[in-house]
Each structure stands twice: as structure tokens, then as C-alpha cells.
Amino acid sequence: MIRLLATLALVLTACAVQAETLKLAVTTSFAASGLPDVLLPALKLGTGIDVEMLVGDTANALALGETGQVDAILLDSRRDEETFVADGFGTHCRAIMYDNFVLLGPVDDYAGIAQSVSVTEALQRIAKSERQFVSLGDDSPLHKKEQALWADAGLTPQQFPNWYTVAGAGANSSLTTAVDLQGYILMDRQSWLQFGDKTGLAVLFSDDPVLFNQYSFVPVSAAHHPHVARDLARRVERWLTGPQAKELINGYTIEGQPLFIFNAE
């Protein structure tokens, strides 16, 4: 009888531990930022919840949510998140924090984009100068953002002459091309801070709110997937939007420079 009770206690304990694990789909960029190494241990200490991250690109994170393989997603692709919710896969989008995109260029800033009042003006100055511009060309969210900004500026990259270079690669390879060409490039601040050889390049423009890159927490809908850990998602969201998370997010730096700004309400 004692042995049976001990076995039952072990089973119940194992179930309890399993119930306190939330599966969260995140993008590679967030996982590589280093912030989870600071945030998740504090979250566990404050809530008792282990967060298991499933890491991939945006499409992969959304697919994991749509198929109910995770309890929530944390993304930086607002349009995709809103579609995810509108299609009934998520309950809501809750803003947590943002980083931003930056326009990098040669320190001589031949195009004079540092004097711009908007990213639209900065891109127009680059086009007018015909100084080298490097595009990722990889259909990533960053590449799509760049294309949208050109369109907002009334410019069509496909019609640009030879000064517009399509790298067809990820952030690091594209940054290397920009360094080699001493050209301009749109990049997320995290990739720039973590990039090694910054020779000759600098952040020249970053102040336009259009360049903010919002991260949001989206719980997966229990209406679609009744098995998801709805209560755990609520508790994690409450912690991520609270004062301790704010302090950790705002205090996180790379190379001594802040990366994220907490903006949960």
C-alpha cells in the first residue's frame, strides 16, 4: 500500500511538472538575441512556469500555432499576427516590446541621410545619390520591410540601375557585402550589434517610428485547440507585461547598447 501511494505521488508530481510547462513558438532572431537567457529564468522564478521555446522562422512559428503544437507565439510580424487572430487561431495580440530597424551606411554618408527627417527622405536621398545600396533579397520580414519602405517613398527597386545590389542572403552575409561595397543597407539593430566587422559603416538613421519592430505575445485559441495551456498562457502574459519584465527588457544590452524597449500596456 505504501509503495502504491508513493508511486501515485510520483505520477501526480510528474503531471504537475508537465502542466507547468508552456510551449512558446519564437523566431530565430528573438532566440539569438540573448534576452531569453535573462527573461525566462526570472519568469520561472516568479511564476513557477517553465517556458519551452520552439525556434524557427515566422512561417514556422505561425504553423506551430495553427496546428496547436504550442500554447502561444511571440513574433515581430504584426500583419501575420493579426491574420493569425482574425483566422481564429489566436485570441489576441499583446504588445510586449520593440526593437528597431536602422539604416546603415558609410561613415562619409555621401547621400546625407543622417540629415533626413524621415526614412522616406533618407531612401530618396540614397536613390538620388546612386550610392551602393545592399538588399537582403531573401524574402525575410526584414527584406519585405525594406521593399515596403521603398514603395512608401515612391520608388521601385526593380527599376534601379547597378547601384542596387541584391545579396540574396541573410543578415550577416548581406552586412559583409555592405562593408565590402561601403554601401547603405537596412538592418535590424540586433544583427548590427552582433555583427563582427563593422569597418567603415555606422548607424546613420533610426529615428522614424516607422522603423519600430514590434514584438507581441499571442495565445493560441483554445476554441481551435482545447488542449492548449490557456491558464499558463494568461499567467505568462501577465508576467511579461509586468514591472519585473519591464526592468529586465529595458536593461538588456548588447555591446553596452540597449536593444529592446518595453511598451506593454
Side-chain angles (χ1 to χ4, degrees):
M1 182 64 177
I2 293 175
R3 182 177 298 174
L4 178 60
L5 290 174
T7 302
L8 181 59
L10 286 172
V11 171
L12 290 174
T13 300
C15 290
V17 170
Q18 184 178 12
E20 293 296 302
T21 299
L22 177 119
K23 291 184 177 181
L24 179 67
V26 302
T27 56
T28 305
S29 59
F30 174 72
S33 72
L35 180 61
D37 297 334
V38 174
L39 213 55
L40 298 189
L43 189 155
K44 181 179 180 181
L45 191 62
T47 65
I49 299 172
D50 264 317
V51 173
E52 177 187 345
M53 291 196 308
L54 282 74
V55 182
D57 59 19
T58 299
N60 178 251
L62 291 166
L64 289 172
E66 289 171 2
T67 54
Q69 296 180 65
V70 293
D71 305 303
I73 60 177
L74 181 66
L75 292 182
D76 59 339
S77 183
R78 188 68 180 186
R79 185 175 299 177
D80 289 326
E81 295 156 16
E82 289 173 347
T83 300
F84 184 81
V85 171
D87 290 343
F89 295 113
T91 59
H92 61 278
C93 300
R94 183 74 181 274
I96 303 295
M97 61 191 177
Y98 67 88
D99 59 2
N100 68 335
F101 300 110
V102 295
L103 272 171
L104 308 168
V107 291
D108 66 13
D109 190 18
Y110 180 79
I113 70 169
Q115 303 166 33
S116 304
V117 297
S118 68
V119 67
T120 292
E121 182 186 347
L123 291 175
Q124 289 171 340
R125 283 174 177 261
I126 293 170
K128 184 177 180 180
S129 74
E130 298 194 353
R131 186 71 176 255
Q132 285 288 332
F133 184 94
V134 177
S135 171
L136 274 68
D138 62 351
D139 203 36
S140 64
L142 175 54
H143 175 234
K144 291 176 181 177
K145 179 69 173 181
E146 179 226 314
Q147 297 296 294
L149 292 173
W150 283 117
D152 290 344
L155 298 165
T156 307
Q158 291 78 8
Q159 298 176 356
F160 293 161
N162 294 335
W163 58 266
Y164 185 83
T165 300
V166 178
N172 281 352
S173 294
S174 298
L175 281 167
T176 298
T177 301
V179 169
D180 291 343
L181 295 175
Q182 286 298 286
Y184 293 91
I185 186 171
L186 180 74
M187 188 52 58
D188 61 280
R189 187 178 292 275
Q190 175 188 324
S191 294
W192 171 243
L193 291 176
Q194 293 176 329
F195 183 64
D197 181 14
K198 298 178 172 67
T199 305
L201 293 191
V203 175
L204 297 175
F205 186 85
S206 62
D207 291 337
D208 195 325
V210 174
L211 296 177
F212 291 172
N213 183 39
Q214 180 68 52
Y215 280 82
S216 297
F217 182 84
V218 185
V220 172
S221 172
H224 259 282
H225 300 291
H227 65 277
V228 298
R230 178 173 48 185
D231 179 61
L232 294 188
R234 277 197 292 261
R235 288 162 57 193
V236 168
E237 179 180 338
R238 189 181 307 122
W239 190 90
L240 286 174
T241 56
Q244 188 177 4
K246 178 179 180 178
E247 181 179 355
L248 292 172
I249 290 169
N250 287 341
Y252 183 70
T253 62
I254 296 179
E255 304 259 334
Q257 297 188 48
L259 179 59
F260 297 105
I261 302 297
F262 180 90
N263 68 338
E265 296 179 351

